[in-house]
């Protein structure tokens, strides 16, 4: 694509959406055109408000194909969407057109226990899949914090993660095959029902994380695992963040692969204690939450070893949960972080800059520096085991001067993550929010090779335009549309 | 690509390879042009003999770039190659041109224990990486049976597997990032040093398994795991193959995820016992080899449970290895299969058709039917845990009548695997051998979407032409070139 070509659909003369034709495809009840309906799809969990021309709610692959063929003929932008819990702006209808709400396409949730496989419609909620797998003694590991509302289709679009990434990987690692509707309304299948598959290019994983810019996923084949039989959890309090970082490394090089390894910084601790006290010391620099899962005998020994490592390195205190209710109590503080910090200021900006594990202490030091330099309210928690931190900035969207400083601080967080060999996004995606920075990470050649694929699969740029790729005139982060 | 376009490079007038220019880039010692040298690169471990015009042995990314730029200017085909242990014809120089031998580019093998990451040159041998990781208490799980000679670059090109796929996945699951030289000689990096990364399309995994048709990998960032502290192994003998299949399912739905779960059929047993007897009963229908790895207490209990499941379902006998030397004895028969069956007839055709795990008994029944229908010498072993079977046909390449039956039998094996929801290739790749059948699995739309990517990245089709994609006039399997 030449400069400006990405926004061709938007900048050219826009044709009217053929509402009656869409009603003919879906029936009138699943083509939403009222202002109230359109407004309710103008947002997601990130920033910016963009009102679509209409919203469609297909329930079958054939309906998705028919909608796409209509849009392709008229060159009208399409924005596939799950539950809208996306934090990077993935589903926002930034150039108007048709939002394709796939959350109603939830008819299939089949578990094949002997194959360790599930076949699901894109609108199935993550939690419902997790529960269905558990009923067969199986386990679907990806666990984004929005799992109660997020859909599998949305998880696939953004390659969602969660606390289990260290041991179990992310959504990508569980997608074995997909059914996909192309930008011209044809349909094809990728992958299959087997872990091993090297037939042609890995189109499955090309589509995972492509944020709806290459096609619309209408069915997914997902890998399941045997459910771990037991888990044990410990919470360790550290006076020194660098020591906490050493404990993480020591645990991982001792042959222990925790199911979760979370870190909470002092600012988060204070916010939680001010919100719903759980008895954590507000003068500690960091808290580590370690959870091991697997065979009962193994987890008992491993949690003992992990606790011993924390103690030997100088943790102020270490508590190992004796049972599930004690475990829930240890996780309580971690779960309160988001609501607790959301009370500090009206606007919460959640980033997911990710660094190589060994650089976590450096990244914490850098974040402290950024907090002071820009005078922003910055707190940090995250999935320490895989280097996926969540720096959160608390601010007020109405305060233009403050937002200017916030935008600069966020850009500097991205730069720092990349300088340390990390990535712009660990699990939220690029969407609209980070598109201006894509070239920083991929380089000119990497961006061009990515665009070649986009152009080859969607030559008229109707599939979720305005996402991932940097656009002319949009070269910096802004939190308002 | 329109029909026939894939072979444009081959069918058009071929330009002479500018040998002197290549010597200027690499020095005379690393540009091989003698007939003996060229002949030694005319083969791989599959079928067909194709003599290249010359062979180059670059040792740096810059040298690879310079070679590619020269070839791109002259539109001369390039064939990246590791050790040539490929079973699908991936590196064969089918249209002449330049073989790029990357096995000498082995300068970098760095382990970052705190990040659980390795950074390696493409020519590093798989076994050397495995050993280097072990010296840090770490573990690189992919373990193709050619690991003593295969290179990481070759493993990446073919997305190699091995017996650990069930628990640990395949090469794809361990590649975090790549340095890649494009078809026009530019260089870019994909991915990074972190497990979580959702910045732009997943170009890393697009390149893994693309068999050198999209670019040349010049460096890889690989994920390592903590090394499992213990392993236990059991061997179970079954009079009935269907019962063996049930044992596999029962083990996996009991919360046990074995590090290896291998199956050996009667014909393989007989071949092994005739070659180097290990005391296995030649009247048994199947032998299962189960290995669990992890925490010492867990593996003791899990191997006991797995053995108990086999006994309860009616295994004739079950032996649990008491120590490592007993383990080696149990693995002995499995390791002897390839040399044992290779003695039966001069030619051994190793397939890797893969089916959903629950269809293994059906696939065995179908293979028996195919053996009888075509009167071919067919034996089966493989990685039962992930459905990745290795039907092997023993034959004589000089017997044209027999080879005709063999070709039909192999095509029917592929059809059967696909009908059961499986895949043409689990771990060997498509290469030249299975290219005629690609459309059977991907469908017309899937093949076209794949070709769009190939064309977008390599418009002149110089990167390993003649692989993966079906070509006009080559619509069936042939074992001779």
């Amino acid at each position: 694509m030449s400069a400006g070509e990405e926004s061709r659909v938007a900048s050219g003369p826009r044709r009217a959406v053929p509402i009656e034709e869409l009603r003919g495809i879906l029936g009138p009840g699943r083509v939403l055109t009222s202002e109230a309906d359109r407004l309710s799809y103008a947002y997601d969990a990130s920033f910016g408000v963009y009102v679509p021309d209409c919203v469609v709610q297909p329930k079958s692959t054939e309906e998705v194909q028919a909608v796409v063929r209509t849009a392709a003929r008229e060159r009208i932008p399409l924005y596939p969407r799950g539950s809208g819990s996306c934090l990077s702006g993935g589903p926002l209808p930034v150039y108007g057109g048709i939002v394709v709400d796939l959350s109603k396409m939830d008819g299939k949730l089949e578990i094949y226990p002997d194959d360790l496989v599930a076949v699901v419609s894109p609108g199935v909620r993550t939690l419902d899949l997790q529960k269905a797998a558990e009923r067969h003694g199986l386990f679907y590991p990806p666990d984004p914090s929005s799992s109660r509302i997020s859909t599998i289709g949305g998880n696939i679009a953004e390659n969602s993660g969660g606390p289990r990434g260290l041991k179990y990987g992310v959504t990508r690692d569980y997608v074995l095959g997909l059914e996909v509707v192309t930008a011209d309304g044809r349909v094809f299948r990728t992958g299959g029902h087997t872990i091993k598959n090297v037939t042609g290019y890995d189109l499955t994983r090309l589509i995972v994380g492509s944020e709806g810019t290459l096609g619309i996923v209408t069915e997914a084949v997902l890998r399941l695992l045997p459910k771990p039989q037991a888990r044990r959890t410990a919470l360790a309090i550290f006076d020194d963040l660098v020591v906490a970082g050493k404990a993480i490394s020591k645990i991982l090089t001792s042959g222990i692969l925790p199911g979760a390894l979370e870190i909470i910084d002092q600012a988060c601790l204070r916010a939680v204690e001010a919100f719903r006290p759980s008895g954590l010391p507000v003068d500690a620099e960091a808290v580590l939450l370690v959870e091991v899962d697997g065979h009962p005998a193994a987890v008992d020994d491993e949690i003992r070893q992990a606790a011993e490592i924390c103690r030997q390195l100088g943790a102020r205190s270490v508590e190992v949960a004796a049972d599930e209710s004690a475990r829930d109590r240890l996780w309580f503080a971690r779960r309160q972080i988001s609501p607790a910090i959301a009370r500090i200021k009206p606007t919460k900006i959640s980033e997911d800059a990710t660094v190589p594990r060994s650089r976590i202490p450096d990244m914490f030091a850098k974040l402290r520096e950024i907090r002071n330099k820009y005078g922003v309210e910055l707190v940090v928690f995250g999935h320490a085991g895989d280097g996926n931190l969540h720096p959160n900035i608390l601010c007020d969207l109405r305060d233009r001067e403050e937002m200017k400083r916030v935008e600069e601080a966020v850009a500097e967080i991205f730069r720092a993550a990349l300088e340390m060999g990390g990535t712009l996004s660990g699990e939220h995606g690029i969407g609209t929010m980070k598109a201006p920075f894509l070239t920083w990470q991929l380089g000119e050649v990497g961006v061009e090779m990515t665009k070649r694929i986009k152009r080859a699969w969607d030559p008229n740029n109707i599939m979720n335009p305005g996402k991932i790729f940097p656009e002319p005139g949009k070269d910096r982060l802004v939190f308002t549309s």
Side-chain angles (χ1 to χ4, degrees), chain A:
Chain A
M1 269 170 271
S2 62
E5 200 174 349
E6 297 82 352
S7 51
R8 189 174 45 198
V9 165
S11 56
R14 267 254 300 289
R15 302 196 199 175
V17 175
I19 301 290
E20 286 313 314
E21 185 176 336
L22 294 173
R23 285 191 175 130
I25 295 165
L26 298 165
R30 292 190 280 127
V31 180
L32 314 181
T33 56
S34 75
E35 192 173 348
D37 281 336
R38 291 188 295 123
L39 262 175
S40 69
Y41 285 87
Y43 305 82
D44 67 4
S46 72
F47 294 87
V49 182
Y50 305 89
V51 185
D53 293 305
C54 83
V55 178
V56 296
Q57 298 179 319
K59 292 195 172 188
S60 72
T61 302
E62 294 69 28
E63 288 179 353
V64 172
Q65 287 185 266
V67 167
V68 173
R69 277 195 296 259
T70 297
R73 188 192 67 221
E74 302 291 334
R75 301 210 174 170
I76 293 167
L78 290 166
Y79 307 91
R81 178 185 175 111
S83 297
S85 54
C86 182
L87 293 168
S88 59
L92 292 176
V94 293
Y95 291 122
I98 304 168
V99 167
V100 184
D101 174 8
L102 293 151
S103 69
K104 312 298 177 194
M105 188 167 165
D106 59 358
K108 191 181 273 190
L109 172 46
E110 294 170 355
I111 307 285
Y112 297 88
D114 286 341
D115 290 337
L116 298 181
V117 154
V119 180
V120 299
S121 301
V124 167
R125 275 157 216 259
T126 317
L127 185 67
D128 292 336
L129 168 64
Q130 290 170 336
K131 284 183 176 169
E134 286 193 14
R135 283 194 290 273
H136 289 88
L138 300 175
F139 179 42
Y140 178 70
D143 191 31
S145 63
S146 56
S147 62
R148 279 166 188 281
I149 57 161
S150 71
T151 64
I152 291 299
N155 292 174
I156 289 170
E158 303 297 333
N159 191 14
S160 303
R164 298 186 185 129
L166 164 62
K167 179 168 181 177
Y168 291 105
V170 294
T171 299
R172 174 184 70 217
D173 301 301
Y174 294 87
V175 184
L176 296 178
L178 294 172
E179 180 185 79
V180 182
V181 172
T182 65
D184 54 6
R186 293 177 301 162
V187 65
F188 71 109
R189 285 191 164 269
T190 71
H193 284 236
T194 62
I195 295 169
K196 285 184 174 171
N197 191 339
V198 54
T199 299
Y201 300 163
D202 191 348
L203 304 184
T204 307
R205 285 163 194 87
L206 176 65
I207 291 160
V208 174
S210 66
E211 309 194 28
T213 63
L214 292 177
I216 297 179
V217 171
T218 48
E219 192 168 290
V221 183
L222 303 171
R223 178 187 177 201
L224 303 174
L225 295 180
K227 184 169 158 51
Q229 297 161 60
R231 60 185 175 195
R232 293 296 302 275
T233 310
L235 185 144
I237 296 166
F238 289 88
D239 292 326
D240 185 334
L241 196 67
V242 174
V243 175
K246 281 184 185 156
I248 293 168
S249 288
K250 189 75 192 293
I251 290 168
L252 294 173
T253 51
S254 302
I256 301 170
L257 189 60
L261 183 42
E262 300 283 301
I263 192 164
I264 307 171
D265 84 342
Q266 192 179 57
C268 284
L269 279 181
R270 289 181 179 174
V272 169
E273 290 301 308
F275 177 50
R276 283 185 188 151
S278 64
L280 291 171
V282 293
D283 60 334
E285 268 203 355
V287 165
L288 285 189
L289 195 61
V290 188
E291 186 162 287
V292 292
D293 61 3
H295 189 278
V299 299
D300 285 352
D301 184 52
E302 286 177 349
I303 203 68
R304 190 193 53 71
Q305 283 186 50
E308 189 55 33
I309 287 168
C310 292
R311 279 190 204 101
Q312 276 177 1
L313 287 171
R316 181 196 294 192
S317 71
V318 184
E319 182 184 352
V320 176
D323 53 30
E324 279 289 299
S325 86
R327 172 188 180 266
D328 290 345
R329 195 169 45 72
L330 295 190
W331 274 95
F332 178 80
R334 172 67 182 83
R335 292 220 181 83
Q336 297 310 312
I337 293 174
S338 276
I341 62 178
R343 290 174 69 247
I344 297 175
K345 284 202 151 195
T347 307
K348 177 163 83 81
I349 291 163
S350 291
E351 287 307 336
D352 65 330
T354 302
V355 295
R357 199 177 289 111
S358 63
R359 304 302 300 272
I360 288 175
D362 299 339
M363 189 64 179
F364 268 95
K366 184 73 192 178
L367 291 170
R368 196 175 304 178
E369 192 188 310
I370 291 171
R371 177 167 53 198
N372 296 334
K373 180 174 170 185
Y374 296 100
V376 291
E377 193 91 47
L378 175 66
V379 306
V380 193
F381 62 96
H383 317 304
D386 54 29
N388 178 201
L389 299 180
H390 290 303
N392 273 249
I393 299 183
L394 297 321
C395 49
D396 186 341
L397 211 53
R398 297 161 300 185
D399 183 338
R400 292 184 66 86
E401 184 279 326
E402 182 185 25
M403 292 314 292
K404 188 93 189 56
R405 282 182 286 120
V406 169
E407 286 162 9
E408 284 172 14
V410 172
E412 193 155 334
I413 292 172
F414 295 157
R415 265 197 302 273
L418 292 176
E419 275 165 18
M420 292 181 194
T423 176
L424 282 177
S425 174
E427 56 184 16
H428 295 170
I430 298 300
T432 55
M433 301 301 295
K434 299 182 183 180
F437 308 104
L438 191 73
T439 312
W440 288 7
Q441 180 167 341
L442 301 191
E444 296 290 345
V445 179
V447 170
E448 197 218 303
M449 297 311 273
T450 308
K451 281 186 181 174
R452 286 190 190 189
I453 293 171
K454 168 67 172 170
R455 194 170 39 197
W457 277 33
D458 179 23
N460 293 316
N461 195 26
I462 63 164
M463 291 305 311
N464 208 7
K467 312 300 160 65
I468 300 182
F469 299 102
E471 298 198 341
K474 296 185 181 176
D475 56 355
R476 66 179 198 87
L477 186 75
V478 280
F479 287 102
T480 48
S481 55

